Amino acid sequence: MNIKRWVQAGDYYLFYYVNQRLQCSFLDRVMPFFTILGSAAFALFFSLATAILGREQARAAGWQAFLALTGSHLMVRLFKNWVGRCRPYLALPGARYLARPWQDYSFPSGHTAASFSMAIIFALNFPALTLPLVALAGLTGVSRMYVGMHYPTDVLGGATMGALFAYIVHSWPW
């Protein structure tokens, strides 16, 4: 089996596991909440509110988060159009979706990129919050599979892109 088929088989297996096997009424109610945490509207609101209303260190983190979000979002858009991967609920038989269906492409996950860019920026600025922030970002990524919008590799790509932009922005000589 070549590497592409092996990755695709794993992608489908993990997607179906999260999307189908973990299905329960509790997660049906909770996972859309974690999806919202990765939305562009929430991330932009939170980063700008922190940048404007926070204390000195929080303001700096808020502006860094805003810049990381902007950069990662632009790259997500470029990659979505370049890769052109169809969303799983449109491509896989029996895939269920709980969120409003999107018609754009799947790779990488923008929600996951946003949540990881925010989590990593705030974790770098407030190290004591690293574990809960990264856990929330991870749950956002899992929620994107649970609600049927993304494959695991979409989530991994989004997490990588968000974290990369967070590190770049944070390490920039301000």
Side-chain angles (χ1 to χ4, degrees):
M1 180 183 286
N2 70 28
I3 190 77
K4 184 178 177 181
R5 284 190 185 155
W6 183 78
V7 169
Q8 187 178 47
D11 223 15
Y12 291 174
Y13 175 81
L14 287 173
F15 172 81
Y16 277 124
Y17 188 87
V18 172
N19 185 257
Q20 304 281 313
R21 303 232 6 228
L22 297 181
Q23 178 185 357
C24 68
S25 61
F26 173 73
L27 291 178
D28 285 353
R29 289 189 308 276
V30 172
M31 286 302 192
F33 168 76
F34 289 109
T35 279
I36 290 169
L37 292 179
S39 69
F42 176 82
L44 289 172
F45 172 79
F46 186 83
S47 65
L48 288 174
T50 304
I52 294 167
L53 303 173
R55 295 188 180 184
E56 188 174 342
Q57 187 178 7
R59 277 198 310 268
W63 286 118
Q64 289 175 18
F66 177 76
L67 291 173
L69 282 164
T70 302
S72 66
H73 185 71
L74 290 172
M75 288 306 293
V76 163
R77 288 281 129 222
L78 288 171
F79 270 77
K80 280 185 185 285
N81 290 327
W82 180 55
V83 174
R85 186 178 199 189
C86 191
R87 291 191 179 265
Y89 77 90
L90 294 170
L92 297 179
R96 62 191 196 97
Y97 63 93
L98 300 178
R100 176 178 57 114
W102 293 80
Q103 298 302 318
D104 67 341
Y105 296 118
S106 181
F107 181 87
S109 168
H111 283 72
T112 308
S115 64
F116 270 88
S117 63
M118 297 274 294
I120 299 301
I121 283 289
F122 283 99
L124 290 169
N125 283 283
F126 305 99
L129 298 176
T130 299
L131 184 59
L133 290 171
V134 173
L136 281 172
L139 282 170
T140 298
V142 171
S143 78
R144 299 306 289 158
M145 293 180 282
Y146 189 86
V147 301
M149 296 296 119
H150 288 287
Y151 299 96
T153 51
D154 299 342
V155 170
L156 182 61
T160 302
M161 198 169 289
L164 179 66
F165 272 88
Y167 280 111
I168 290 169
V169 168
H170 183 73
S171 64
W172 197 264
W174 298 98

